[in-house]
Amino acid sequence: MSSPGTEKPVIEAVSQTFDSLMREDRVFPPPPEFAAKAYIGSAEAYERMYAESIADPNAFWAKAAGELEWFEPWTSVLEGSGADATWFAGGKLNLSHNCVDRHARGARKDKVALLWEGELCGEDGRPKEIRKLTYGQLHEEVQRFANVLKAQGVKKGDRVAIYMGLGPELAIALLSCARIGAIHSVIFGGFAAHAISDRVNDSDCQIILTQDISYRRGGEVKLKQIVDEAMAKCPNVRRVIVYQRAPHAASGISMTPGRDVWWHQEMAKVSGFCPAEPMDSEDPLYILYTSGTTGKPKGLVHTTGGYSVQTYLTSKYIFDLKEEDVYWCTADIGWVTGHSYVVYGPLQNGATVLMYEGAPNYPANDRFWQIVDDHKVSIFYTAPTAIRAFIKWGDDWVKKHDLSSLRLLGTVGEPINPEAWMWYHREIGKERCPIVDTWWQTETGSILIAPIPGAVSTKPGSATKPFFGVAPQIVTKEGEPVPAGQGGLLVISKPWPSIARTIWGDHERYVQTYFSEVKGHDGKGIYFTGDGARRDADGCFWLMGRVDDVINVSGHRLGTMEIESALVAHGKVAEAAVVGRPDELKGQAIAAFVTLEEGNEPTEELRQELRKWVAKEIGALARPDDLRFTQMLPKTRSGKIMRRLLRELATTGEVKGDTTTLEDFGVLAKLRENDE
Ligand code: WTA
């Protein structure tokens, strides 16, 4: 994790959250009426299953895998360890088959698989577009689009980039790739052209799937135009398949002859029959880029068997998914949460999955509650950032709607502050819905720490207990266990099936990043999460935020170095340092410190220009909230930027911490001067 130019990770009390968590002692046992119907309905049942899963993980995971369909059985459950673990070797399966065919051929043929609501509303403020696809219909669509991909020459192992809005076609795109063994690489629709071309080129995608526009907060996002801009830097892309989302040709969309084709026209040319390709358990399923501590996002590679099994089982037990549930995870499919818990996990369970295209505050602040009420949503899974926005908008928006269909709530993506947890529990869950605070990462593939809702008591702000087979530990940098109650580094000591197997094209970086930072007594690397945490006397985990140079803005993961690289790419910037500071709504906000090239004036205009520049280079989500000009940056004697000092300054306006390694003390006075 120690890339040049950065400090070593330190356990920093992400102070405010940590202080409030230290004082939190409320406990909420599972509601008895919930526990009575749950898959796992008592603390004893959880403890017993957990103990068994740790004592004999192979037996536990083999049993779980047996609930899915395999074309050929595996010959061994787990082989190897650490960065070289493989799961279900020798087995053949197809995730698209387990998500769709298995249900479409059986009793769920006419059950709604995808229930989608578009953002557009009529003059009465009511939604204009609702689409329902049964498992039978989804089966047909997925086979047909898989044939479109084949007709375009896509073969097993080829990479396909996907840059689309949230709609059924996006899910169909993923499932179609999985069906023929093409490796999808979904790029979040909020990323800018530059971020697209970087990702497309890194994994050499030759096909990109997109759509003309998507709707967001009443406006149009011109996805195809952004792709066109990106394609100028992607010489290897030979085909762009464009789904037409607008009811009639959207303005400003042009099709490049020989390269661009329309989704619906291609669909009309092919048959609706395409058998699922038997995939080796360790064949790559997808690549998903995420931010780390260097300037370049890493393409994490997930493989088929272990990922299928663990997303299936966590969905079943953590969301207690039942036949009659209407399940809604509000995440975009551009993030890992959307991959695992909008598409693959719930569909493997044969659930009815709700998808909503747009913003929570369009046309008004109660859109989400209106959706819950209209579609009788029973399981609702969202991010703490969204909850904090709902609190800010006021309870009246919630009270207008009947939320009695809800039976389980979830959160993901960042630590939830106890106040937000309590509001969620009271105002949305009406004190009868368990809340599952789910901790995991793009790298882990599925949830690793979360309460099993019918079994484990919840505590506001704690993700509570590990999932079956998962062994989290809190250790020092030297790998020594930290006593209960004290903060340390969160590591996962045993292999689990859904871990990403590598970084695309750079296995060495994978080993370096995840298996070199913390070592066990045998000298072997233990998976390091990059998060700080503590474990309380009851064995519950309290996540304290990142200990590296990754920041979490509204649940979106960003690398400070990534934003710095974008800033220094601007001709007027000499040096830049970016840090996160606490923000009430977003969890963390982005603070940038910038020194200018000789001859440039630090004007307000330039400040705004640079903020816009970052949005244009990476995407609006990376736009710095604060941008300060400074004459120098605080550095150590070896020339590393002391981000810790900048974090302190951005957070409290002062620097009180240890400055002994600072090279030039004058820089602090200068920084304060510039801090008008
Ligand atoms: C943070 C999102 C506290 C954490 C699934 C992690 C959380 C990073 C939680 C991964 C949670 C995620 N409580 N922190 N329940 N869930 N995080 O890869 O810092 O986008 O390392 O995956 O989000 O973010 P990623």
Side-chain angles (χ1 to χ4, degrees):
M1 265 297 114
S2 46
S3 42
T6 62
E7 291 171 77
K8 279 285 257 180
V10 275
I11 306 165
E12 235 165 80
V14 181
S15 42
Q16 286 152 353
T17 347
F18 190 48
D19 288 349
S20 70
L21 292 180
M22 287 297 254
R23 289 195 301 270
E24 183 55 56
D25 53 12
R26 286 170 284 200
V27 179
F28 296 85
E33 57 287 8
F34 186 97
K37 295 189 196 140
Y39 284 116
I40 304 170
S42 69
E44 298 70 40
Y46 163 77
E47 296 296 347
R48 190 185 62 246
M49 277 177 78
Y50 181 73
E52 284 169 10
S53 71
I54 292 295
D56 190 353
N58 285 14
F60 177 83
W61 290 115
K63 184 160 177 277
E67 294 182 27
L68 301 176
E69 281 179 21
W70 294 74
F71 301 133
E72 279 176 38
W74 57 90
T75 47
S76 66
V77 179
L78 167 66
E79 267 174 39
S81 62
D84 305 308
T86 64
W87 286 86
F88 306 108
K92 286 195 190 290
L93 78 168
N94 185 291
L95 183 47
S96 174
H97 172 93
N98 274 309
C99 285
V100 188
D101 306 35
R102 201 156 62 95
H103 313 303
R105 292 201 184 125
R108 297 191 181 112
K109 180 168 183 285
D110 298 320
K111 177 176 177 175
V112 175
L114 298 179
L115 166 49
W116 174 82
E117 186 169 305
E119 194 194 66
L120 294 178
C121 286
E123 279 177 9
D124 55 358
R126 298 287 303 154
K128 270 216 287 219
E129 294 167 294
I130 289 169
R131 284 172 63 194
K132 292 181 184 176
L133 267 85
T134 62
Y135 274 96
Q137 290 165 330
L138 183 62
H139 191 209
E140 154 102 23
E141 292 286 310
V142 168
Q143 294 189 79
R144 203 172 277 282
F145 194 68
N147 277 334
V148 168
L149 292 173
K150 278 185 170 174
Q152 296 298 340
V154 178
K155 292 184 300 302
K156 181 176 168 182
D158 289 353
R159 278 80 58 207
V160 174
I162 304 178
Y163 183 72
M164 296 175 78
L166 196 66
E169 277 65 26
L170 176 51
I172 291 166
L174 268 66
L175 293 162
S176 305
C177 287
R179 191 166 195 86
I180 63 168
I183 303 168
H184 58 72
S185 169
V186 183
I187 302 166
F188 172 59
F191 281 121
H194 192 75
I196 301 174
S197 53
D198 276 356
R199 286 162 174 76
V200 164
N201 292 337
D202 182 73
S203 45
D204 192 24
C205 299
Q206 300 187 5
I207 302 257
I208 176 159
L209 315 179
T210 188
Q211 59 190 50
D212 48 359
I213 57 162
S214 73
Y215 296 103
R216 183 82 194 170
R217 206 159 287 136
E220 290 182 0
V221 187
K222 298 197 185 303
L223 296 175
K224 172 66 166 65
Q225 257 181 29
I226 301 169
V227 166
D228 286 340
E229 204 186 311
M231 288 309 101
K233 290 197 209 119
C234 300
N236 290 350
V237 171
R238 55 184 171 81
R239 188 73 72 237
V240 180
I241 305 181
V242 188
Y243 172 70
Q244 188 183 330
R245 166 72 185 97
H248 34 73
S251 61
I253 303 299
S254 66
M255 299 288 277
T256 303
R259 188 195 70 185
D260 302 352
V261 294
W262 288 105
W263 179 296
H264 59 275
Q265 289 178 358
E266 299 308 305
M267 285 289 260
K269 295 179 192 163
V270 294
S271 94
F273 175 71
C274 174
E277 177 80 25
M279 301 295 288
D280 281 332
S281 184
E282 285 296 339
D283 274 339
L285 172 69
Y286 68 78
I287 302 173
L288 186 58
Y289 286 84
T290 191
S291 298
T293 52
T294 69
K296 199 170 152 261
K298 25 187 194 195
L300 287 154
V301 180
H302 281 287
T303 60
T304 309
Y307 179 84
S308 297
V309 172
Q310 201 166 351
T311 53
Y312 161 74
L313 201 73
T314 48
S315 298
K316 174 177 170 177
Y317 286 147
I318 295 170
F319 299 109
D320 194 51
L321 263 181
K322 298 283 170 51
E323 202 54 54
E324 50 293 341
D325 277 313
V326 176
Y327 166 94
W328 183 19
C329 165
T330 68
D332 193 281
I333 293 176
W335 307 109
V336 75
T337 306
H339 283 61
S340 299
Y341 297 108
V342 176
V343 182
Y344 292 126
L347 291 180
Q348 282 188 98
N349 280 278
T352 293
V353 174
L354 190 137
M355 293 169 90
Y356 164 59
E357 176 184 41
N361 54 353
Y362 183 83
N365 293 342
D366 60 343
R367 183 66 182 265
F368 274 18
W369 316 125
Q370 173 238 297
I371 293 175
V372 169
D373 192 351
D374 283 355
H375 302 289
K376 300 295 163 224
V377 171
S378 57
I379 300 173
F380 179 72
Y381 185 33
T382 197
T385 268
I387 297 168
R388 291 189 293 262
F390 301 141
I391 298 174
K392 193 178 116 194
W393 296 339
D395 300 355
D396 289 348
W397 294 106
V398 180
K399 294 196 162 66
K400 280 167 67 176
H401 300 276
D402 174 10
L403 305 183
S404 60
S405 56
L406 289 172
R407 66 179 197 94
L408 177 67
L409 305 175
T411 70
V412 60
E414 42 175 333
I416 181 163
N417 44 314
E419 304 71 46
W421 195 101
M422 286 306 298
W423 182 89
Y424 199 31
H425 171 69
R426 214 176 42 241
E427 300 301 327
I428 307 303
K430 313 292 179 196
E431 301 183 355
R432 56 178 180 74
C433 303
I435 297 178
V436 291
D437 173 353
T438 63
W439 178 89
W440 59 297
Q441 310 178 291
T442 305
E443 293 84 345
T444 69
S446 55
I447 299 168
L448 295 195
I449 307 179
I452 299 292
V456 175
S457 294
T458 53
K459 301 181 183 187
S462 170
T464 74
K465 306 261 173 124
F467 190 70
F468 305 117
V470 174
Q473 281 179 5
I474 315 279
V475 298
T476 62
K477 269 191 268 182
E478 290 70 41
E480 294 301 327
V482 167
Q486 282 179 29
L489 305 174
L490 179 67
V491 298
I492 314 290
S493 64
K494 275 179 185 296
W496 67 98
S498 65
I499 186 177
R501 301 296 194 264
T502 191
I503 292 173
W504 184 262
D506 199 349
H507 193 64
E508 182 49 34
R509 186 174 169 205
Y510 172 80
V511 176
Q512 254 334 97
T513 309
Y514 304 111
F515 291 96
S516 303
E517 196 68 29
V518 179
K519 296 213 164 64
H521 289 300
D522 56 1
K524 281 195 181 155
I526 304 177
Y527 178 80
F528 174 50
T529 62
D531 277 5
R534 84 185 159 89
R535 188 180 208 162
D536 68 18
D538 299 332
C540 287
F541 287 85
W542 299 76
L543 278 304
M544 291 153 56
R546 302 288 305 196
V547 295
D548 54 12
D549 293 318
V550 170
I551 52 179
N552 194 325
V553 182
S554 301
H556 298 153
R557 186 169 153 179
L558 289 163
T560 50
M561 293 265 283
E562 213 177 320
I563 306 172
E564 288 163 9
S565 307
L567 279 166
V568 294
H570 187 283
K572 294 180 181 164
V573 174
E575 269 192 311
V578 168
V579 296
R581 65 159 171 81
D583 180 88
E584 264 192 22
L585 213 55
K586 302 199 264 190
Q588 280 189 296
I590 305 169
F593 295 82
V594 169
T595 66
L596 294 174
E597 291 283 2
E598 206 69 37
N600 292 294
E601 288 303 313
T603 60
E604 183 55 31
E605 205 185 338
L606 182 56
R607 189 200 311 273
Q608 296 313 336
E609 182 182 321
L610 293 178
R611 292 180 66 230
K612 258 196 223 140
W613 169 264
V614 176
K616 189 154 182 326
E617 286 286 292
I618 305 176
L621 69 169
R623 183 188 288 119
D625 297 271
D626 312 338
L627 191 142
R628 298 185 200 182
F629 294 112
T630 171
Q631 289 164 27
M632 347 172 172
L633 292 170
K635 291 191 183 159
T636 62
R637 265 161 238 149
S638 56
K640 291 177 182 166
I641 295 173
M642 294 180 75
R643 286 204 183 76
R644 182 173 54 80
L645 297 187
L646 294 173
R647 248 187 316 258
E648 245 186 282
L649 191 70
T651 306
T652 63
E654 284 181 90
V655 176
K656 288 198 183 126
D658 179 11
T659 54
T660 45
T661 53
L662 190 64
E663 208 223 3
D664 175 359
F665 287 95
V667 76
L668 282 183
K670 292 229 170 66
L671 271 170
R672 282 198 206 97
E673 262 166 42
N674 292 323
D675 180 26
E676 30 359 312

